[in-house]
Amino acid sequence: MTNALVAATYAMAAATISAFLFLGGAVNLATAALAGVLMVVIAAQFHASRLRRREKREVARELVEMKQTSRVLAESLSETRAGMDTMKAAIEARTTDQSRRIVAELQVLESLMREFAGRIADKSRAQPVALEAEPEVRQIAAPPQIPMPRLGEGDLLEIIRAALEENRVDLYLQPIVSLPQRKLRFYEALTRLRAEDGAVIMPAQYMRVAGPVGLMSVVDNLLLFRCVQIVRRLTQKNRELGIFCNISGETLGDAEFFPQFLEYMHHNRDMAPHIVFEFAQNAVIDVDPRVEENLSYLSGLGFALSMDHVETLDCNFAKLRQLGFRHLKVRAETLTGGMNAAHAQVAAEDLKALLARHAINLIAERVEQEKTVVQLLDFGVDCGQGFLFGEPRAVREEAGKLPAELAAPVIPFRRAG
């Protein structure tokens, strides 16, 4: 429609000019008509030329847009390929890391079990010696269980050997809460061995027998594997929780096991924010440089250390901090009335400030009464542990999950009286 109007306009203009030339007497009719036709042809050519230029501009613009679209698509495709390559590499790295971790665990466990079998064989050739009666040692224990009767060393060693071989090693978790909020901060992992008849062998019993023959490394190794598994489950829901994992003095000084232990933790150093390794005071005070070097290496991987079974508070806290100790557990009864017996250089209310200067947290353990908590709050204690805040609860592997009561984030405050 537009082209027709343009052509009509050109024709009318040409006819007007031809009529003007003819009527003005400038040319005859034939010449005027020829001039009009020529003008129409020229106008048509001019209009066609403009249309071609416009079409060329449109085609050029469309080509530019197509090139830009193609470039954007190519960039998107490149980013997608890069993302897929990154994802593939991450999956491969994760798979490789998991495989390496599993292989490392199996190698450590295989080595320890070979050592375990050899030590048991050596010990079985010795004459059993009856254990002398010893005073009862107060332990953080689970509710009443079937007690293990007093046995000869050889008989008890055989029961321990069978419990380890048949994996009758139970893991218990006891909460450690912040004060005064009583918010769950950590769990302490505790081990119990079970005899075939269900009798429970407490640490005070099996450590006296397993330690001298070098079997505590096997117990600690099993505890360590369980702790790593539990931590991975716990941190899926709450990445602020951690577990205190006890390592015996015999294991710490075991020249064969501890290097393997350090290698295993090197491969699992991603667990460092969630595992605290705990050692008894007599296992880490005045030890040889090799043990101190092992402790420093362990803390260098990012793992915090804790000291319990504290008998004396006359310690070099600066050195403990240097070795990697971040927590100190002191019995509540020591804080509330036994500081002199523990050879403390400061009063109970000043101990927290002393430890804080060395960035060491103070944890009161064996807290059993509300009135004790009131005193501990006056001393600025960071955390508390004991039956008052929660008993040790067994973690059953066959259940595939933690007991529901262990997932509670806060221990409710209960007033005395």
Side-chain angles (χ1 to χ4, degrees):
M1 186 66 180
T2 302
N3 291 334
L5 290 175
V6 171
T9 300
Y10 287 157
M12 291 178 63
T16 300
I17 293 174
S18 297
F20 178 78
L21 291 175
F22 176 71
L23 293 176
V27 294
N28 56 27
L29 180 60
T31 302
L34 182 61
V37 172
L38 183 60
M39 290 181 62
V40 170
V41 172
I42 293 173
Q45 290 295 324
F46 175 75
H47 182 66
S49 177
R50 289 189 58 190
L51 289 179
R52 284 194 297 271
R53 286 197 299 271
R54 184 190 302 174
E55 289 177 355
K56 286 182 179 180
R57 286 196 299 270
E58 289 293 330
V59 170
R61 183 177 60 80
E62 291 177 357
L63 286 174
V64 171
E65 291 179 353
M66 290 178 66
K67 288 180 179 179
Q68 291 177 344
T69 302
S70 177
R71 184 168 57 253
V72 170
L73 289 175
E75 291 175 353
S76 299
L77 181 60
S78 178
E79 291 176 357
T80 301
R81 286 177 177 173
M84 291 179 66
D85 291 341
T86 302
M87 185 181 299
K88 181 180 178 181
I91 292 174
E92 290 178 351
R94 182 175 179 181
T95 302
T96 302
D97 182 64
Q98 289 177 342
S99 299
R100 188 186 304 113
R101 184 179 299 145
I102 292 172
V103 170
E105 291 180 0
L106 291 176
Q107 288 175 342
V108 173
L109 187 56
E110 180 184 6
S111 174
L112 286 173
M113 293 313 293
R114 283 200 305 267
E115 180 184 352
F116 164 67
R119 289 175 176 175
I120 284 293
D122 293 339
K123 189 63 182 177
S124 64
R125 289 192 288 268
Q127 282 291 347
V129 178
L131 289 175
E132 297 180 359
E134 295 188 6
E136 184 67 22
V137 179
R138 188 178 180 185
Q139 297 284 336
I140 297 176
Q145 299 155 326
I146 304 173
M148 170 62 65
R150 183 172 286 110
L151 300 171
E153 185 180 277
D155 293 334
L156 185 55
L157 184 61
E158 177 61 26
I159 293 174
I160 294 173
R161 179 196 61 77
L164 293 174
E165 284 188 346
E166 298 171 18
N167 198 25
R168 292 197 300 270
V169 182
D170 295 333
L171 178 67
Y172 286 71
L173 298 181
Q174 184 175 32
I176 300 174
V177 302
S178 63
L179 294 178
Q181 301 87 357
R182 304 197 185 195
K183 181 178 180 181
L184 181 62
R185 289 291 309 279
F186 306 97
Y187 288 115
E188 180 171 359
L190 310 165
T191 51
R192 305 285 185 267
L193 304 183
R194 276 181 296 109
E196 190 173 2
D197 61 359
V200 175
I201 313 171
M202 302 297 287
Q205 294 174 295
Y206 68 70
M207 288 180 69
R208 284 183 290 142
V209 177
V213 296
L215 295 183
M216 282 309 301
S217 60
V218 179
V219 177
D220 289 343
N221 184 67
L222 292 174
L223 173 63
L224 176 61
F225 287 165
R226 302 277 178 82
C227 284
V228 170
Q229 294 168 358
I230 292 299
V231 163
R232 295 194 185 280
R233 276 191 271 169
L234 282 174
T235 53
Q236 289 177 357
K237 296 182 178 181
N238 187 345
R239 295 195 60 82
E240 295 182 357
L241 286 177
I243 284 188
F244 279 64
C245 182
N246 285 274
I247 303 296
S248 67
E250 290 82 1
T251 297
L252 180 60
D254 192 323
E256 296 181 20
F257 167 75
F258 210 72
Q260 300 176 32
F261 165 83
L262 294 177
E263 182 181 359
Y264 174 68
M265 296 322 302
H266 176 81
H267 291 298
N268 287 273
R269 57 188 179 276
D270 60 310
M271 293 286 97
H274 310 291
I275 294 182
V276 179
F277 289 107
E278 189 163 84
F279 304 90
Q281 185 180 53
N282 60 9
V284 295
I285 297 297
D286 297 327
V287 293
D288 61 67
R290 178 180 56 83
V291 173
E292 291 186 357
E293 184 179 347
N294 288 338
L295 291 173
S296 298
Y297 179 83
L298 189 59
S299 65
L301 294 176
F303 293 94
L305 307 181
S306 173
M307 188 168 70
D308 68 348
H309 293 285
V310 174
E311 299 299 332
T312 175
L313 288 171
D314 185 12
C315 303
N316 185 343
F317 295 115
K319 183 176 181 180
L320 288 177
R321 167 67 187 186
Q322 184 180 4
L323 290 175
F325 283 86
R326 303 294 180 266
H327 307 277
L328 181 72
K329 284 187 178 180
V330 181
R331 289 186 293 272
E333 61 184 17
T334 299
L335 292 171
T336 57
M339 295 294 283
N340 289 334
H343 309 290
Q345 301 300 310
V346 296
E349 54 267 26
D350 298 322
L351 180 59
K352 165 58 184 173
L354 174 62
L355 294 177
R357 288 200 294 270
H358 302 287
I360 297 177
N361 295 324
L362 176 59
I363 301 175
E365 60 178 348
R366 302 184 186 180
V367 182
E368 299 180 357
Q369 298 180 359
E370 287 289 351
K371 64 180 182 181
T372 304
V373 177
V374 176
Q375 293 177 282
L376 295 177
L377 294 180
D378 292 337
F379 302 152
V381 175
D382 296 291
C383 296
Q385 178 182 358
F387 280 5
L388 180 65
F389 307 120
E391 299 175 348
R393 300 287 183 180
V395 178
R396 303 295 182 185
E397 290 188 1
E398 60 270 16
K401 59 182 180 181
L402 296 173
E405 59 269 22
L406 292 182
V410 179
I411 307 294
F413 180 79
R414 294 179 290 176
R415 296 188 179 275

